[in-house]
Amino acid sequence: MGKPDKTTSLPAWSATRVVGRPVPRIDARQKVRGDAVYTADVQLPNMAHARFLRSERTHAKIVSIDTAAASAVPGVLAIVKPDEWKDVLLKDNLGRGIPILADEPKYAGEEIVAVCAETEDAAREAAAKIRVVYDDLPHVIDPEEAHQAGQFVGGGWRKTRLGEPAVYQRGDARRALTSGGRSVRIFERTYRTAPMTHCSIEPHAAVASFENGRWTVWESTQGVFAVRESLAEMLGASINDIRVIGTYPGGGFGGKVSAGKYTFGAAYFSKKFARPVRFVQDRNEEFVSPYGRPASVQTLKVGVNTAGKLVAIEQKGIHAIGPYEFGAEWGHAEDLLTEIYECPNVHAESIAALTNVPPPCAMRAPGYAQGAFALEQMMDEIAAALGMDPVEFRLKNIPDRDPDSKRPFASPKGRHGLRECLAAGAKNFNWEKRKRDRKTHEDGSKTGIGVAATIWGGGGGPPAAALLRVHADATADLFTGAADIGTGIRTALAQIAAEELGIAVERIRVTNADTDLTSYTLPSYGSLTLASSGPAVRQAAHDCRTQIISLAAQALQTTEDQIALVDGYAVRAATEEQPEWITPIAKLISQSPAREIVGNGERGPNPKLALKAYGVQFVAVTVDPESGEVRVDELVAVNDSGRVINRMAFDSQLIGGATMGLGMAFLEERSYDPASGKLLNANLADYKLPTIFDQPREFKLDRVEVPYDANSIGAKGLGEPPVIPTAPAVANAVFDAVGARIERLPISRKRLIDSLMKEQAKK
Amino acid sequence: MRSYLAEFSVISPRSLDEALWALKQRPAPAPIAGGTDLMVLLNAGQLPPGAYLNLHSIPELRRPIEFVNGEACFGALTTYADARRHPEIRKRLPMLCLAAREIGALQIQSRGTWAGNIVNASPAADGVPALMAYDAAVELSSASGVRSVALADFYSGYKQTARRPDELVTAIRIPVPEKEAVQYYRKVGTRKFQAISKVLLAGIMVLGKDRRIKKIRLVYASVMPYTYRARAVEAVLEGRVPDGAAIKAAVAALRSELKPIDDVRSTAAYRLRVACNLLEEFLSASSPSRGEARRG
Ligand SMILES: Cc1cc2nc3c(=O)[nH]c(=O)nc-3n(C[C@H](O)[C@H](O)[C@H](O)COP(=O)(O)OP(=O)(O)OC[C@H]3O[C@@H](n4cnc5c(N)ncnc54)[C@H](O)[C@@H]3O)c2cc1C
């Protein structure tokens, strides 16, 4: 293994008292009682309210904006048209900007006017009374149509010119597919996934106040520091002119990583009128701003040899990324296939098609969720054609080092998370036996089983820092920059501190996500938060621990290696000469010169190893071929995220992720009317999310904790992996039940009936 | 966008007479019962501004479910929860309970009324088909008198009903069917619960000793522009033994009788196919409990 960095220089925990236990969230009570404050709840004296007017047209030049009637609405403070903010740009990860207000809206729902008023009602009324004259321009919704017209750039993390795809290449896939002769069998299929929306329970929201030359912004966000940077740029201000306070965010899922147009609006008006301004989006606005998972069309061509080894993968992915190049980094789905299985020849093209729909942003497992739907069904199809068990086929193609970077894995020799997940999952699910179960039942229903696998990064890394103050009564304050977007990271970090300090979790208060009070930390995205901030917290706590032990050694007149910290006490174990000696940690600190102990921790770099997390899901379904209804009877999820810090939070991630995956599989799709280009279902009645009744009758959750020492807590990411394998596992199970391949998501009742009819017609 | 509240007013009459008198105004105020249809429109900014009539303040309308002369009688404010909780309804009119549990979740079931479901006249209403299959009648009251209309004759087109704007639904009468009746209620929605149906069939069938069909009712929701009783198919089936040949004839008749709608939720082709599949499933059901057994 590689050279350990500063944070890994702490030895791995041997036995743990708090880490690994199922610990209820430290804020559960507050949340359940409704005491937790979310941004939309923030009420300040003399607060004004802002909102956007959005384009009614899909693509149009604005001829005129008449605000006379709107300005006459009592309580209206300001109406801002596009030219007033024309120099302000919201930027994506690669620095591509879009206007806050568009004078040529390029998708229905794009922001065109901003209104600020005394009350929310007045702002609504004024917005409704603005008269806009549009001159319609042509639009394109279908990404394939845009691709054919040459209107695309490369998707992913490298910018390209117009008309140039982003290409990933290793080996020579084309040659391997054409010159393999009889020994290489080739499989080809096109898969389509739907555009989706995060549907966080709390909409995007910001409240800004401007006092003494400085903004304070409360934001529902995954990353306070990212909001601060982006907002400072839009305002032309110093980052130190802005304090961002992350309230409890009501979900994020990738949609709240940085500042939004509304954040700028709130900050702008708060300075202009020297009073606080609240800017909260409505539910229907959540479907156009900001964005979500882009639609994808993926064509896979895979070659496999007679021994069942993958020889080559060719992939072409077309993604609808909106009218600007903004967000094109989310228009790709090839990552998973470049790294999950051993395959010497890979050629993948990412095409980010310019379409008149909202630009995309990250959404839980961006790219991977779409990519898995294609690849993991293809694996199933190939296994069947080769007469191999799909679990065995996957096992056969597990790489022994990272196929992309060629680095060794950060796990002990001979151990691989995916292999162990597949084995544990097959056992839990009783795969071998169920493979032979009858599929057709007396009432006409059919049952089937399916499996799918995933890989994800989630190794985390710098920058992340933590500060811990242990007080004279052995309570502690932990300061961390990380946002808790619902994963329970605040609890996990408190557990890590408690483990080191030998005090109870309840004695640690966590202050997080505040740019004034906590140190710089990356946003909570990419499933990296625990693996980034966890080691920083452990180091801060270890720093305090060392100081407490040194005080104890003096007080107990012994050497430091004789002291243990347990349940709030420093303990020197009994020896033959001396009895056990014990003293409260509180007493040690209260008698110390500083009267408190302060520790600092900073996340160091990772070793040069491949840092990967894994997971599998096995599902059993019952299909009613008369109505197209599918019931998920059982779902087994097994993940390798290294050391599990909180078993309860681990289970919650698996349940939440798989449920979201079921939404992707069966229900979720933003539907556009191709003629008008308008979104037809911008509400939660017509865009359906799974409810508790759509969850499997039985969840079985398990973990394999393959030892991982790339960081000092031994943990890696889990936020995104559980959403990835669900849709392909379900699709494979549906195929097993009825013999129809699922080429398009979501698997609606109608689509299933259609593909059954197609299968029947073939026979 | 949400409606502007100042443009709305609510009348709360203290008696039925006062309410019926208020309904003589032009335009007549629209009644609000549970408000579970109206409030959605209000929130979406689609509720016409003006006066509304609150039914909860009228003591005559707040009466419990009664059984009179072999008929169940619902009041204007009888909710789905009232029906689900009623032991006699559960036993003698089980499709009403199946329908009630399909509607929204507990909040909607405790608030939404059967009368509101009828008057709202959505082609996708889940309560109406069960009532129609039971041959329910709607009592309409106005300042000029009371009349009764068979629910099967209540609709004539999309959102077209027999109710005049000055009339209130004051009761729904539901005859209790024969003990041996085979009952079938199945909703196919986008997801389990809390979803508007794509296709729904409520059916009731009484067989004679000779196994011939004495009486049959087939009511579809979400297929036609209004809750639709497939009378032509009923006529094909009446007097026949529901065997393979009869089922085939019935499905063929249904294919020509239905002209399914195409909308965001589904397509005509899907609806027709599933409508036929449900009919087949109902007719081949041998035991009365089968419809119930199918509920997931
Ligand atoms: C979240 C949600 C889920 C839902 N799910 C379902 C579902 O699954 N299935 C389903 O069928 N429906 C569903 N609905 C729709 C609605 O709940 C039902 O249609 C309900 O029966 C309406 O009754 P109400 O008393 O609330 O009607 P209201 O909203 O009060 O009124 C509806 C209409 O009926 C009129 N009206 C009401 N009472 C009378 C009367 N006595 N005389 C004359 N006119 C009257 C009103 O003027 C109005 O036009 C849902 C609604 C919501 C909000």
Side-chain angles (χ1 to χ4, degrees):
Chain A
M1 290 211 170
K3 186 172 150 278
D5 73 274
K6 203 163 109 193
T7 65
T8 62
S9 62
L10 295 176
W13 288 300
S14 44
T16 58
R17 273 183 290 262
V18 191
V19 160
R21 282 223 336 262
V23 175
R25 287 163 192 229
I26 56 175
D27 38 32
R29 217 184 141 75
Q30 252 183 312
K31 287 184 171 177
V32 171
R33 289 167 53 101
D35 294 336
V37 173
Y38 295 79
T39 297
D41 302 325
V42 172
Q43 293 287 338
L44 298 171
N46 199 27
M47 188 165 76
H49 300 260
R51 59 185 296 110
F52 287 123
L53 175 70
R54 295 174 180 277
S55 173
E56 281 169 30
R57 304 302 174 84
T58 301
H59 185 196
K61 184 92 206 134
I62 291 181
V63 178
S64 64
I65 300 174
D66 176 359
T67 59
S71 307
V73 172
V76 168
L77 297 169
I79 298 176
V80 175
K81 296 189 204 175
D83 54 343
E84 190 172 336
W85 288 351
K86 71 172 184 299
D87 299 325
V88 187
L89 295 177
L90 180 72
K91 292 197 177 149
D92 70 6
N93 288 287
L94 301 185
R96 294 170 290 219
I98 46 170
I100 306 288
L101 300 174
D103 57 5
E104 185 191 310
K106 294 181 177 62
Y107 57 90
E110 188 168 4
E111 296 81 351
I112 53 177
V113 179
V115 177
C116 186
E118 293 286 347
T119 63
E120 209 180 317
D121 276 348
R124 275 177 202 284
E125 199 190 341
K129 287 191 168 150
I130 296 169
R131 294 286 156 260
V132 182
V133 178
Y134 301 91
D135 191 358
D136 282 323
L137 294 166
H139 65 258
V140 182
I141 301 296
D142 178 6
E144 286 167 279
E145 194 184 324
H147 172 233
Q148 262 152 28
Q151 290 301 304
F152 66 90
V153 293
W157 295 94
R158 198 173 58 79
K159 280 198 216 172
T160 69
R161 280 176 293 117
L162 190 72
E164 186 197 340
V167 177
Y168 173 91
Q169 179 130 12
R170 73 168 182 257
D172 189 341
R174 207 149 294 167
R175 227 188 68 203
L177 288 171
T178 49
S179 67
R182 284 233 198 137
S183 63
V184 174
R185 288 185 66 178
I186 294 171
F187 298 82
E188 187 169 354
R189 203 180 273 279
T190 298
Y191 303 88
R192 291 176 165 81
T193 65
M196 293 169 63
T197 292
H198 311 86
C199 298
S200 293
I201 196 148
E202 184 190 27
H204 290 75
V207 174
S209 94
F210 186 78
E211 266 176 89
N212 306 321
R214 197 163 185 258
W215 282 275
T216 302
V217 178
W218 290 261
E219 173 109 3
S220 177
T221 182
Q222 298 176 231
V224 286
F225 293 94
V227 170
R228 185 178 67 166
E229 280 160 20
S230 163
L231 184 59
E233 193 182 337
M234 289 190 278
L235 292 168
S238 149
I239 53 171
N240 203 24
D241 292 339
I242 300 167
R243 173 183 185 184
V244 180
I245 300 173
T247 58
Y248 281 108
F253 305 111
K256 296 179 181 169
V257 166
S258 184
K261 296 176 185 177
Y262 57 91
T263 319
F264 172 77
Y268 176 90
F269 289 128
S270 71
K271 180 174 181 195
K272 182 163 176 156
F273 300 113
R275 57 193 282 196
V277 175
R278 178 179 186 268
F279 209 132
V280 181
Q281 295 196 161
D282 285 348
R283 177 57 61 190
N284 58 0
E285 296 183 282
E286 291 291 289
F287 288 85
V288 289
S289 175
Y291 341 128
R293 197 188 294 290
S296 79
V297 181
Q298 303 167 60
T299 302
L300 272 186
K301 196 168 171 185
V302 180
V304 59
N305 68 20
T306 43
K309 292 267 198 187
L310 295 171
V311 174
I313 304 178
E314 227 176 58
Q315 187 251 26
K316 184 160 130 188
I318 304 172
H319 310 268
I321 59 105
Y324 305 100
E325 292 176 23
F326 179 97
E329 67 268 30
W330 305 115
H332 73 131
E334 73 287 354
D335 288 348
L336 177 110
L337 64 85
T338 66
E339 60 178 4
I340 184 165
Y341 301 116
E342 183 69 57
C343 181
N345 304 294
V346 178
H347 179 97
E349 286 186 9
S350 285
I351 292 152
L354 298 166
T355 47
N356 295 99
V357 299
C361 71
M363 180 166 166
R364 202 170 190 174
Y368 283 69
Q370 299 98 297
F373 176 67
L375 183 69
E376 285 298 286
Q377 276 199 86
M378 184 55 106
M379 292 296 282
D380 203 63
E381 185 172 349
I382 298 173
L386 299 181
M388 271 176 93
D389 176 277
V391 174
E392 186 197 334
F393 178 51
R394 286 178 173 83
L395 288 172
K396 214 177 191 95
N397 285 283
I398 285 181
D400 50 20
R401 44 177 58 221
D402 178 25
D404 177 31
S405 69
K406 308 282 188 270
R407 289 180 183 177
F409 294 118
S411 49
K413 238 191 156 38
R415 299 195 64 176
H416 191 283
L418 184 52
R419 188 181 299 126
E420 298 190 20
C421 286
L422 280 164
K427 185 155 166 270
N428 272 331
F429 187 77
N430 213 351
W431 176 258
E432 283 305 322
K433 183 190 158 291
R434 289 173 89 158
K435 270 198 315 198
R436 295 186 295 273
D437 283 352
R438 207 157 57 97
K439 302 211 183 302
T440 304
H441 304 278
E442 264 161 38
D443 62 355
S445 68
K446 292 175 183 284
T447 47
I449 56 172
V451 60
T454 191
I455 188 170
W456 183 258
L467 179 102
L468 186 65
R469 293 169 59 196
V470 189
H471 306 295
D473 59 356
T475 60
D477 269 300
L478 172 63
F479 297 87
T480 156
D484 189 340
I485 55 173
T487 60
I489 188 70
R490 299 171 82 235
T491 308
L493 296 179
Q495 281 177 270
I496 291 168
E499 183 69 48
E500 285 293 325
L501 294 175
I503 64 175
V505 176
E506 301 78 58
R507 301 188 74 82
I508 297 171
R509 176 167 56 192
V510 181
T511 299
N512 68 312
D514 181 328
T515 57
D516 271 15
L517 299 182
T518 64
S519 326
Y520 194 93
T521 295
L522 282 180
S524 295
Y525 58 19
S527 309
L528 54 64
T529 314
L530 180 59
S532 298
S533 290
V537 169
R538 185 174 177 211
Q539 201 192 25
H542 189 81
D543 186 352
C544 295
R545 175 191 176 84
T546 311
Q547 296 175 56
I548 295 166
I549 287 181
S550 150
L551 294 173
Q554 282 166 36
L556 305 180
Q557 296 173 352
T558 182
T559 54
E560 283 158 10
D561 58 346
Q562 298 300 310
I563 304 287
L565 303 182
V566 187
D567 293 339
Y569 292 91
V571 181
R572 192 199 65 200
T575 61
E576 274 175 20
E577 300 92 63
Q578 291 173 306
E580 182 188 73
W581 200 0
I582 136 169
T583 189
I585 293 173
K587 190 169 160 201
L588 292 170
I589 299 175
S590 64
Q591 293 176 357
S592 74
R595 303 282 168 82
E596 77 173 29
I597 304 288
V598 180
N600 264 301
E602 206 176 294
R603 176 62 153 92
N606 290 307
K608 290 205 172 350
L609 295 169
L611 316 174
K612 307 289 174 190
Y614 301 95
V616 297
Q617 285 174 17
F618 288 77
V619 299
V621 300
T622 301
V623 181
D624 178 349
E626 287 172 9
S627 65
E629 286 166 302
V630 183
R631 186 181 69 210
V632 179
D633 298 310
E634 187 181 334
L635 190 150
V636 169
V638 185
N639 282 67
D640 170 29
S641 59
R643 184 194 284 277
V644 172
I645 303 294
N646 185 347
R647 182 63 208 262
M648 209 181 264
F650 177 91
D651 287 357
S652 297
Q653 278 305 310
L654 266 49
I655 293 172
T659 303
M660 203 167 181
L662 290 173
M664 179 172 180
F666 290 118
L667 297 168
E668 294 181 52
E669 173 167 28
R670 279 187 278 151
S671 338
Y672 289 94
D673 169 26
S676 69
K678 285 190 188 165
L679 184 55
L680 297 172
N681 57 347
N683 62 70
L684 292 178
D686 295 316
Y687 181 102
K688 288 210 162 30
L689 297 171
T691 76
I692 201 157
F693 297 108
D694 300 287
Q695 287 186 323
R697 290 198 165 170
E698 191 175 359
F699 270 116
K700 281 191 191 149
L701 314 168
D702 203 359
R703 68 216 191 278
V704 294
E705 296 175 276
V706 174
Y708 176 83
D709 62 4
N711 67 54
S712 67
I713 60 166
K716 49 195 172 181
L718 186 68
E720 279 147 304
V723 83
I724 302 170
T726 316
V730 162
N732 289 338
V734 169
F735 177 82
D736 185 45
V738 298
R741 274 284 159 216
I742 305 296
E743 296 178 332
R744 183 189 274 268
L745 285 179
I747 315 169
S748 66
R749 318 276 202 239
K750 175 192 156 333
R751 284 198 185 126
L752 190 53
I753 290 283
D754 285 351
S755 44
L756 287 178
M757 296 204 299
K758 231 167 77 186
E759 285 302 312
Q760 273 173 5
K762 269 195 236 158
K763 277 175 196 156
Chain B
M1 203 188 302
R2 220 178 286 163
S3 305
Y4 188 48
L5 276 183
E7 295 170 351
F8 294 84
S9 65
V10 176
I11 305 163
S12 287
R14 275 156 304 173
S15 69
L16 183 57
D17 281 346
E18 221 179 287
L20 297 180
W21 185 82
L23 282 169
K24 280 167 65 177
Q25 296 172 46
R26 286 293 165 269
I32 320 178
T36 59
D37 279 312
L38 294 178
M39 295 307 284
V40 173
L41 296 178
L42 180 79
N43 209 35
Q46 289 163 13
L47 190 66
Y52 286 79
L53 187 73
N54 172 21
L55 302 186
H56 286 271
S57 62
I58 306 167
E60 294 95 318
L61 299 185
R62 280 186 314 212
R63 52 162 205 255
I65 296 173
E66 290 169 62
F67 274 85
V68 190
N69 304 330
E71 287 186 339
C73 183
F74 286 4
L77 292 172
T78 301
T79 64
Y80 302 107
D82 293 338
R84 282 190 78 176
R85 272 198 293 263
H86 200 286
E88 287 296 298
I89 299 287
R90 282 217 290 266
K91 213 168 89 197
R92 299 163 73 179
L93 295 161
M95 281 201 287
L96 297 182
C97 295
L98 288 179
R101 79 189 270 271
E102 284 291 346
I103 293 172
L106 286 182
Q107 297 94 320
I108 297 296
Q109 291 171 16
S110 305
R111 188 82 202 153
T113 64
W114 295 88
N117 203 233
I118 292 174
V119 176
N120 186 54
S122 159
D126 290 321
V128 178
L131 290 170
M132 203 183 278
Y134 282 134
D135 288 335
V138 182
E139 180 188 277
L140 294 163
S141 304
S142 69
S144 47
V146 180
R147 61 183 181 128
S148 177
V149 179
L151 185 55
D153 301 328
F154 192 72
Y155 302 106
S156 52
Y158 179 69
K159 297 254 174 190
Q160 299 295 307
T161 74
R163 171 186 169 260
R164 295 192 315 262
D166 67 335
E167 286 178 314
L168 266 189
V169 173
T170 40
I172 306 163
R173 298 216 161 75
I174 312 140
V176 173
E178 297 78 345
K179 269 212 180 68
E180 68 276 17
V182 181
Q183 306 188 22
Y184 178 94
Y185 181 93
R186 185 166 176 200
K187 169 177 173 177
V188 178
T190 311
R191 69 179 167 199
K192 284 203 201 128
F193 298 102
Q194 303 247 55
I196 298 171
S197 67
K198 291 169 180 288
V199 181
L200 184 156
L201 171 62
I204 188 164
M205 169 165 65
V206 182
L207 298 179
K209 288 229 166 58
D210 54 359
R211 293 213 21 94
R212 286 178 193 282
I213 298 174
K214 275 207 301 209
K215 181 183 113 180
I216 184 157
R217 295 286 180 272
L218 299 168
V219 184
Y220 281 99
S222 287
V223 179
M224 301 285 270
Y226 50 95
T227 308
Y228 184 79
R229 189 174 146 196
R231 285 190 162 96
V233 184
E234 290 173 5
V236 165
L237 285 163
E238 237 149 78
R240 291 186 71 161
V241 175
D243 55 10
I247 294 176
K248 234 173 140 184
V251 168
L254 188 69
R255 282 193 173 280
S256 60
E257 186 176 2
L258 291 185
K259 305 271 172 292
I261 48 176
D262 246 316
D263 67 7
V264 206
R265 279 182 279 281
S266 207
T267 59
Y270 172 84
R271 289 190 157 105
L272 187 59
R273 185 173 174 93
V274 176
C276 292
N277 287 343
L278 297 187
L279 177 62
E280 234 175 278
E281 184 179 72
F282 169 42
L283 294 176
S284 29
S286 48
S287 82
S289 64
R290 171 145 172 159
E292 202 151 356
R294 287 228 47 127
R295 317 259 22 103

